């Protein structure tokens, strides 16, 4: 829901608060929904996303877990087998890897392995991305490593309204959903209409219309792309911004539709470019739009290097100038 | 100024790998010689008293004993049939439970219907106890599916191949039982090799902290493929539990009665809200790891021979015979039943159809996925292109 | 070394044996080299790749480890810190995930984290890929999940000679190398010249020259591509086959040179296409060769589905017809 | 026919999470009241006898005691300076060791130069003992590097943030020591929270099986961010070791002398080829988890106040004073030295330059990587394009 609603039921709230409200609603609506993770209880999570939930729903619904990510996801799988719908929190992007085996070999494959007999309605929440001046392992964007794995769905909202509704939909999904939360946008406010009927979870949305080039992004980079489109508009360039929202599946139809109009595409993400989402988008869109593209699909993202120390992250992360540079290069073809 | 270490230099140690070599006997105490091994039937089939565990099998009737015997014999027959089906090329692989029948039948028969089982890939005997049709177990070894039965049909989860993973699923499931306020329990099977996996330790931690009603049933069959148990631990495995805050016990895994008793005790603890228990069933993998394995590369025949004397089926047979609980008719009928089972399994496997090609794309997701739809359609078009060429 | 040498020092041996000989040579040459893993000792590994090594070099050089992949890689890191050069075996592709955290957060990043003070000469051997009729988790191709991670190098030989020499080079490298062994080619024989001076580890090699289209592959798919090129030749089409050998880095220069000549590229791998190597190759080559390409880069690979049960793997894996179909489609542009 | 379970239905359990609530006192025995807690100095500074461990500190001179005191005071001063530098915006984050000085100095001073340390992110006191320049520790918290010192310079590995990972590195390093036939030892630090990680359990398994000369030093500071130790275990953590086949001991982590003695004992075991040991230093995190944390959300002030009475520095000061091991001059000089250290750190941090932008591409690989070269070149061209616009 890139467009915001100003209905009676609409409130302005920060993205983190929108997720908090969405979790609250799920806990209220469905007694099978659980929230689990390190420090999600009294502390309310290190970003306060689960603030107040344990107080209101008790320790058996909002569960502080031992410090072991494989254990968190592994027991969530067991709880799902018992009929629960766990929403687990991984404290930071860089700490999902101890759980990677359970996610890839068990969570992702259980439905297929059981020939559909067993459902895996587990949401794995991961605050991700950089720009917050953190120490190592606290700023990564590992979405590629999940999108490549069949059986998982991977989404990332860019704004408060989407955060609220996509979380509702992720929890309702009978498939495991890796829910990447753009941590540097946690404090960004937006209108959330808790009555609006949301769009499909895996559909991209046009965040801004344009005619000369398409910028495709998701999560934290959507805001940057909107800023780039603003800046470009001052130079007389009309950029369309597509908020992809979902990384698996990718909404190629929407990207294709946009590219058939603009004929140029730049994909922006924080994750390293090498084997990143941009590669998959470029490959498939080039195949679909071979005769439409005036320029190769260009990619702006992280370098093939470990996420750098905080004082270098501005250089590492895509910024306004780097996006505009890619736009210029694409337009120069 | 620093405080100097008082530890004087000592002669150099030999390389680390050598120092555990001498542990072999510690970790491999023969059953019966270990005072900590719970045993109710000696290898000769004699019933020995046990103050703690006798009460758990006090009510076992001769008929029930014959039932346990029948379970073990049929399980072994099924297993042998599967091994020979593999040799005939009907299965790609088979993981035999030969020698572990007592551990599996004893524990499996301790369960209630509402309990839930998380097996490894070798729990054919437990599956039998749960009422899973044995031919269902063969699908994954034949390569027609990755485990096709409905786990909720018999509260018997799918086989798990990634070592140790299922212990966490079991723990989570048990946490759910506790949340539901039910008094069911969960049993998680794993091997001696699996005991080294981080996931197993984490399942111990989670189950202890949440006091989850789960029984960890470790079949220590002395080998993880080619590695003896000393490569996994230097003390008996049942002792692992106490450091996590729950009891562990070692039971003679070739003694079906002892396995039944100890598992009942552990399940009772679970039902009473006393949390997890670790049971180490001390047994032996009589065959190869799987049909792909060649144990002559790494273990001596004598070891196997020594264990043959402790055979779980022979032991109960001796007990039945010396207790006059059976007549020849029983054994003869069971022989026929075995043969019939073998035949049924053989026929069922041979009749097992290959999956439809489109099965690749089925069940990847519960709610669908655009890319899977796209690839299915491409696949269909591609397949059709051959049909066109050939047929039209 | 796609070309084979028939020197005095050249012997015909199976690919698995070539790795065995290469490990043997490394153990002989450098006392710091260790071989570690599950069942690598007396058994010689489930594929006999380490056959006889423990017997000849002892238990302290060729080490049977506890059944714990994170422990294997984690202790190998510690051994490397102490000056050793461990070559660790992961028994099958699907069992690398318990070690993924140690590989991604520690092994890959230690050199950068220490500002170069600490080297990580660890080789992680992974028999990978399908086609051997195995049960679940024994036939996967997870190379994308490593190539995306900076700090790792990822290679895969296609033939016995390369297996021998690339292993020598991987062990000599001061960087961690994920060494993917094409298990279904273990028994394929080839000439190995143990005196030949090998080409660079991360350079692609032209396995067959051609003019109409380039087939790019690595590991098990090279043989298939050579077969496809043979079949196409009978229809009068001249296909160039590029054996990439290295997935990180990818030798884009060699691919580009080939594509500038043939103007068409098809990438073939067993791994799922979605977020696979083909995506990265397509994206970057399209950018580099935008005006040279007559057709979009096409990709042939696994589907977005868990690796299927053995009786379906022929349909799942790229086969001759699927490669030729892609070739036809590319040539039809 | 099946054997029916004898376990009768029992009243329903309450939800699992509640049942451990009552364990709080077990796991949080106050130091001094636990018979299993090794203590050599009471909170009042009185030296108490200990038959087993006295010999490890028998030779400690008054000068050495003053040295330990100085180490703790200077470490605390450094830590306080770092906290205030964070408040001033000079650091992005700081993880304070406040309250854990005795555990770190006691264990750190037990080490020999050729021993090797694997810290978490909080071992500033151990770093001090190793002679690592404290300003080096601040680089990663300032965001100029991810841990910039040479681990081999002082045999002090880089800080590890992924909880538990370093225990495996420590084990591997210790396996290497054993292979080399050296008699050095390794010490691996980790927290109470870390004890739940699978990696830590695997390091216990590997070190036991290979009999590696490693001391696992767990600072149980009662908290893992907001979670009390009961969320990680329901029995004291030192007991974890025995199930892996090596001894564990709980030491008063606020008693520097006891920490010194127990660590020396454990190191001696390692040097003698007796393998791993687990030391649980029972202590308290007096401050927030890090400067980003707000402990008022989850813990009561009274708890902190109770622990203040057991302050490690105060305790040794009382001992020094009642033993007449010091004069006023010592404390005054130390005060000056502290201030000087604070000043030096402050100035060093403020002078710490931002890294060069190209540092992003440095050291990603030891032997280079074509893509890194390509991206570095693109980055250079991109940077240069601004220079052109601005400067030319
Ligand atoms: C994570 C993982 N690593 C390796 C393997 C390969 N593997 C299959 S069975 C096995 C040995 C298991 O030994 P144990 O746990 O004792 O069980 P057993 O086979 O004796 O019943 C190994 C190493 C695997 N399946 N999963
Ligand atoms: C794998 C992993 N998960 C989560 C975190 C986030 N985290 C950082 S410190 C911490 C608590 C650690 O507690 P403990 O081990 O007791 O050490 P202490 O901080 O008390 O010294 C957590 C959860 C992390 N760093 N690594
Ligand atoms: Mg075993
Ligand atoms: Mg702690």
């Amino acid at each position: 829901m890139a467009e915001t609603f100003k209905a009676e039921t609409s409130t302005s709230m920060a993205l983190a608060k929108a997720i908090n409200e969405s979790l609250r609603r799920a806990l209220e609506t469905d007694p099978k929904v659980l929230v689990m993770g390190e420090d999600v209880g009294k502390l309310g999570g290190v970003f306060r996303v689960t603030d107040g939930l344990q107080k209101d729903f008790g320790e058996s619904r909002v569960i502080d877990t031992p410090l072991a990510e494989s254990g968190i996801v592994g027991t969530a799988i067991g709880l799902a087998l018992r009929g629960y719908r766990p929403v687990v929190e991984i404290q930071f992007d860089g700490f999902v890897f101890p759980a990677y085996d359970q996610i890839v070999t068990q969570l992702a494959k259980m439905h297929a392995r059981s020939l559909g007999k067993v459902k895996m309605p587990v949401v794995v929440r991961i605050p991700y991305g950089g720009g917050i001046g953190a120490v190592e392992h606290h700023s990564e964007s590992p979405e590629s490593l999940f999108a490549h794995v069949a059986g998982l769905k991977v989404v990332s909202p860019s704004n408060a309204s989407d955060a609220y509704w996509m979380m509702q939909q992720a929890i309702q999904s009978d498939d495991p959903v890796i829910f990447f939360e753009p941590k540097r946008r946690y404090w960004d406010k937006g209108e959330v209409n808790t009555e609006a009927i949301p769009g499909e979870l895996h559909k991209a949305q046009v965040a801004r219309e344009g005619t000369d080039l398409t910028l495709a992004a998701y999560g934290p980079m959507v805001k940057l792309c909107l800023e780039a489109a603003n800046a470009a508009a001052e130079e007389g360039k009309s950029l369309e911004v597509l908020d992809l929202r979902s990384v698996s599946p990718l909404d190629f139809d929407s990207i294709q539709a946009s590219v058939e109009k603009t004929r140029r595409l730049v994909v922006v993400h924080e994750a390293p470019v090498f084997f990143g989402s941009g590669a998959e988008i470029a490959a498939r869109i080039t195949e679909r739009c071979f005769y439409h593209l005036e320029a190769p699909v260009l990619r702006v993202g992280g370098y093939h290097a470990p996420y750098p120390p905080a004082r270098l992250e501005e250089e590492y992360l895509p910024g306004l100038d780097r996006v505009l540079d890619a736009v210029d290069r694409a337009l120069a073809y | 100024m620093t405080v100097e270490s008082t530890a004087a230099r000592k002669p150099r140690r030999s390389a680390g790998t050598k120092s555990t070599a001498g542990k072999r006997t510690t970790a491999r105490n023969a059953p019966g010689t270990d005072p900590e091994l719970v045993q109710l039937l000696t290898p000769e089939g004699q019933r020995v008293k046990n103050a703690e565990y006798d009460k758990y099998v006090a009510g076992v009737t001769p008929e029930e004993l014959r039932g346990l015997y029948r379970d073990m014999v049929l399980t072994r027959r099924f297993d042998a049939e599967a091994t020979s089906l593999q040799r005939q090329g009907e299965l790609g692989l088979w993981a035999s439970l030969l020698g572990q029948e007592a551990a599996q039948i004893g524990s499996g028969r301790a369960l209630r219907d509402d309990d839930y089982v998380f097996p490894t890939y070798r729990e054919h005997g437990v599956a039998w106890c749960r009422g899973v049709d044995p031919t269902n177990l063969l699908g994954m070894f034949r390569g027609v599916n990755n485990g096709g039965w409905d786990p909720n049909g018999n509260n018997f989860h799918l086989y798990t191949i990634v070592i140790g993973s299922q212990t966490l699923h079991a723990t989570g499931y048990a946490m759910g039982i506790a949340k539901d306020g039910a008094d069911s329990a969960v049993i998680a099977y794993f091997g001696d090799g699996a005991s080294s996996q981080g996931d197993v330790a984490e399942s111990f931690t989670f189950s202890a902290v949440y006091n989850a009603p789960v029984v960890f049933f470790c079949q220590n069959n002395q080998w993880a493929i080619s590695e003896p148990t000393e490569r996994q631990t230097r003390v008996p495995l049942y002792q692992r539990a106490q450091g996590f805050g729950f009891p562990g016990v070692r039971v003679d895994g070739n003694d079906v009665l002892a396995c039944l008793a100890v598992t009942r005790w552990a399940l009772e603890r679970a039902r009473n809200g006393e949390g997890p228990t670790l049971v180490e069933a001390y047994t032996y993998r009589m065959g190869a790891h799987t049909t792909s394995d060649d144990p002559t590369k790494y273990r001596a025949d004598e070891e196997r021979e020594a264990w043959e004397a402790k055979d779980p089926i022979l032991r109960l047979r001796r007990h039945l015979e010396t207790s006059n609980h059976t007549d020849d008719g029983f054994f003869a009928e069971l022989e026929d039943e075995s043969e019939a089972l073998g035949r049924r399994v053989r026929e069922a496997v041979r009749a097992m159809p290959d999956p439809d090609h489109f099965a690749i794309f089925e069940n990847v997701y519960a709610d669908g996925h655009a890319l899977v739809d796209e690839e299915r359609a491409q696949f269909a078009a591609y397949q059709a292109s051959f049909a066109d060429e050939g047929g039209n």
Side-chain angles (χ1 to χ4, degrees), chain A, chain B:
Chain A
M1 304 271 83
E3 299 143 76
T4 52
F5 296 77
K6 279 271 184 195
E8 274 169 47
T9 47
S10 167
T11 333
S12 169
M13 62 178 86
L15 194 151
K17 178 68 175 163
I19 299 175
N20 178 279
E21 288 293 337
S22 192
L23 292 172
R24 174 175 293 277
R25 178 169 174 169
L27 285 161
E28 268 163 8
T29 323
D30 183 349
K32 291 297 183 189
V33 170
L34 305 173
V35 168
M36 300 169 62
E38 297 157 9
D39 306 294
V40 298
K42 280 204 182 119
L43 183 62
V46 292
F47 290 107
R48 307 296 182 270
V49 171
T50 57
D51 201 29
L53 298 180
Q54 189 181 67
K55 188 161 155 280
D56 294 345
F57 297 95
E59 287 193 24
S60 101
R61 303 282 310 281
V62 180
I63 307 166
D64 271 332
T65 64
L67 208 176
E69 286 77 9
S70 189
I72 295 170
V73 174
T75 55
I77 290 170
L79 283 157
L81 291 170
R82 178 77 190 176
Y84 286 87
R85 305 184 85 84
V87 182
V88 312
E89 174 175 306
I90 299 293
Q91 201 160 74
F92 281 91
D93 33 71
F95 307 140
V96 70
F97 300 113
Y100 195 70
D101 175 56
Q102 283 285 347
I103 293 173
V104 166
T105 72
Q106 305 302 318
L107 185 63
K109 296 188 168 66
M110 199 72 88
H111 185 260
R113 185 180 297 152
S114 73
L115 302 179
K117 300 290 195 308
V118 152
K119 309 268 181 273
M120 276 293 124
V122 176
V123 179
V124 181
R125 295 181 41 234
I126 310 181
Y128 85 121
I132 64 159
V135 294
E136 207 187 348
H137 309 290
H138 290 70
S139 302
E140 297 168 13
S141 298
E143 63 271 19
S144 274
L145 305 173
F146 297 89
H148 186 54
V149 178
L152 302 176
K153 289 176 171 171
V154 181
V155 302
S156 182
S158 70
N159 59 66
S161 173
D162 272 6
Y164 181 89
W165 281 111
M166 288 168 70
M167 180 58 76
Q168 287 293 302
Q169 294 170 313
I171 294 172
Q172 279 153 26
S173 168
D174 277 339
D175 289 312
V177 178
I178 314 295
F179 197 97
F180 282 104
E181 302 177 359
K183 69 168 90 82
R184 68 155 124 167
R185 309 292 182 218
Y186 268 151
W187 304 276
D188 286 8
K189 288 200 161 188
E191 288 296 316
V192 178
N193 181 339
T194 57
E195 309 273 292
I197 293 151
E200 271 180 53
L201 179 55
H202 301 290
K203 272 250 154 270
Q205 303 229 344
V206 177
R208 176 189 173 118
E209 298 211 10
T211 52
D212 298 338
L213 180 148
T214 302
L215 284 174
Y218 49 84
M221 291 290 93
V222 173
K223 187 178 177 187
L224 178 69
C225 288
L226 288 169
E227 287 164 9
N230 265 337
E234 287 176 20
E235 298 173 15
K237 298 166 199 155
S238 165
L239 308 190
E240 179 144 308
V241 177
L242 213 52
D243 183 350
L244 298 174
R245 301 175 3 124
S246 176
V247 181
S248 176
L250 277 163
D251 181 1
F252 292 114
D253 290 345
S254 295
I255 310 175
Q256 178 175 357
S258 179
V259 168
E260 283 177 1
K261 179 174 73 172
T262 64
R263 295 173 171 261
R264 287 176 169 88
L265 174 63
V266 172
V267 187
V268 184
H269 49 64
E270 292 191 14
V273 164
F274 194 60
F275 282 77
S277 320
E280 180 59 40
I281 294 169
R284 204 162 300 243
I285 291 303
T286 304
E287 192 178 338
R288 287 199 183 192
C289 309
F290 191 62
Y291 294 119
H292 285 95
L293 281 167
E294 301 279 354
V297 177
L298 298 185
R299 300 176 284 164
V300 181
Y303 299 108
H304 189 66
Y307 196 90
R311 303 245 170 174
L312 287 171
E313 69 181 339
E314 287 232 345
E315 316 304 321
Y316 181 87
L317 289 169
L320 197 60
D321 285 324
R322 272 176 65 201
V323 174
L324 291 171
D325 175 65
V327 167
D328 289 347
R329 281 188 288 124
L331 289 171
Y333 271 80
Chain B
M1 188 221 70
T2 68
V3 179
E4 293 302 325
S5 171
T6 52
R9 286 198 174 253
K10 287 283 158 75
R12 318 199 135 202
R13 270 188 315 282
S14 58
T17 42
K18 286 191 189 141
S19 50
T20 53
K23 302 270 167 189
R24 196 172 176 99
T25 43
T26 313
R28 340 205 101 214
N29 262 337
T33 64
D34 185 343
E36 290 174 325
L37 186 81
V38 179
Q39 192 182 67
L40 301 183
L41 283 181
T42 67
E44 295 70 35
Q46 242 195 315
R47 178 73 166 81
V48 285
K49 280 208 183 348
N50 185 299
E52 244 174 300
Y53 295 99
D54 275 350
K55 63 170 177 287
Y56 291 96
V57 289
V60 174
T61 63
E63 195 193 340
E64 285 171 331
L65 281 177
R66 285 193 300 275
L68 292 169
Y69 183 80
R70 173 179 170 273
D71 289 337
M72 290 198 289
V73 166
L74 293 180
T75 297
R76 182 171 288 185
R77 183 65 183 80
F78 162 71
D79 187 75
E81 190 61 42
T83 298
S84 91
L85 283 165
Q86 194 279 335
R87 292 217 185 91
Q88 295 159 34
E90 295 289 343
L91 301 180
L93 184 82
W94 182 245
S96 165
L97 67 16
L98 191 68
Q100 301 177 218
E101 294 87 354
Q104 296 193 14
I105 300 298
S107 59
R109 285 302 179 204
L111 298 164
R112 284 195 329 221
D113 281 354
D114 60 322
D115 295 335
Y116 214 101
V117 176
F118 287 84
T120 72
Y121 40 80
R122 208 188 284 284
E123 268 66 75
H124 322 313
V126 185
W128 173 264
C129 296
R130 301 306 285 172
V132 176
D133 183 339
T135 57
N136 272 348
L137 302 176
L138 301 175
M140 68 173 263
F141 293 100
R142 185 172 170 86
V144 302
N145 59 43
N146 287 326
W149 61 92
D150 181 354
N152 294 320
N154 307 69
N155 282 8
F156 185 78
H157 190 67
L158 300 173
Y159 278 178
T160 296
I161 292 180
V162 179
I163 301 289
S165 304
Q166 75 282 0
T167 58
L168 280 169
H169 311 158
T171 300
Y173 195 97
M175 287 162 62
I177 289 177
K179 271 182 211 311
D180 294 345
D183 77 340
S184 321
V186 172
I187 189 163
Y189 290 88
F190 63 104
D192 45 306
S195 70
S196 295
Q197 282 286 4
D199 272 8
V200 174
E202 293 188 12
S203 73
F204 287 6
T205 288
F206 276 67
S207 62
V209 163
Y210 298 118
N211 205 42
V214 55
V215 177
F216 296 106
F217 196 92
C218 176
Q219 285 169 83
N220 177 357
N221 64 5
Q222 313 301 320
W223 293 94
I225 309 188
S226 74
E227 299 192 13
T229 311
E230 300 94 274
R231 285 291 90 188
Q232 319 292 342
T233 181
R234 61 184 198 184
V235 289
L237 280 172
Y238 73 92
Q239 294 178 11
R240 183 69 49 87
Q242 57 189 336
F244 290 87
F246 57 92
V249 60
R250 177 180 273 190
V251 62
D252 184 339
N254 286 15
D255 173 352
V256 70
L257 211 57
C259 289
L260 178 67
V262 168
T263 311
R264 281 177 169 177
W265 161 75
L267 288 166
E268 188 179 82
R269 278 179 42 80
R271 293 188 214 294
N272 288 348
E274 293 167 72
T277 309
L278 170 62
V279 177
E280 178 192 3
Y282 199 79
T283 181
Y284 193 72
R285 196 193 78 206
M286 295 297 289
H289 170 67
T290 65
T291 47
S292 297
D293 181 38
D294 174 12
T296 64
K297 296 271 289 182
Y298 54 82
R299 73 183 189 186
D301 282 348
E302 299 85 67
E303 191 180 275
R304 200 200 122 101
E305 283 156 21
W307 278 88
E308 248 159 32
K310 299 166 204 150
D311 185 85
I313 296 188
L314 193 62
R315 181 181 308 206
L316 185 54
R317 183 173 182 131
R318 284 174 179 153
H319 178 68
L320 288 172
E321 285 173 345
T322 55
S323 318
N324 286 321
H325 283 338
T326 51
D327 51 30
D328 287 351
F330 170 74
F331 294 112
E333 268 168 48
L334 187 51
E335 186 59 34
D336 291 348
E337 196 181 357
S338 280
E339 279 318 302
L341 174 66
R343 231 174 5 253
R344 179 167 81 79
V345 166
R346 204 156 53 235
E347 282 160 16
V349 166
R350 291 191 178 138
M352 213 179 264
D354 277 2
D356 183 87
H357 293 168
F358 286 90
I360 291 172
F361 306 98
E362 298 311 314
N363 298 311
V364 182
Y365 293 89
D367 297 342
H369 188 282
L371 178 63
V372 176
D373 296 342
E374 185 179 329
E375 291 187 339
R376 189 197 289 104
Q378 284 165 354
F379 181 78
Y382 171 74
Q383 297 274 76
S385 73
F386 292 100
D388 290 353
E389 273 174 39
N392 297 351

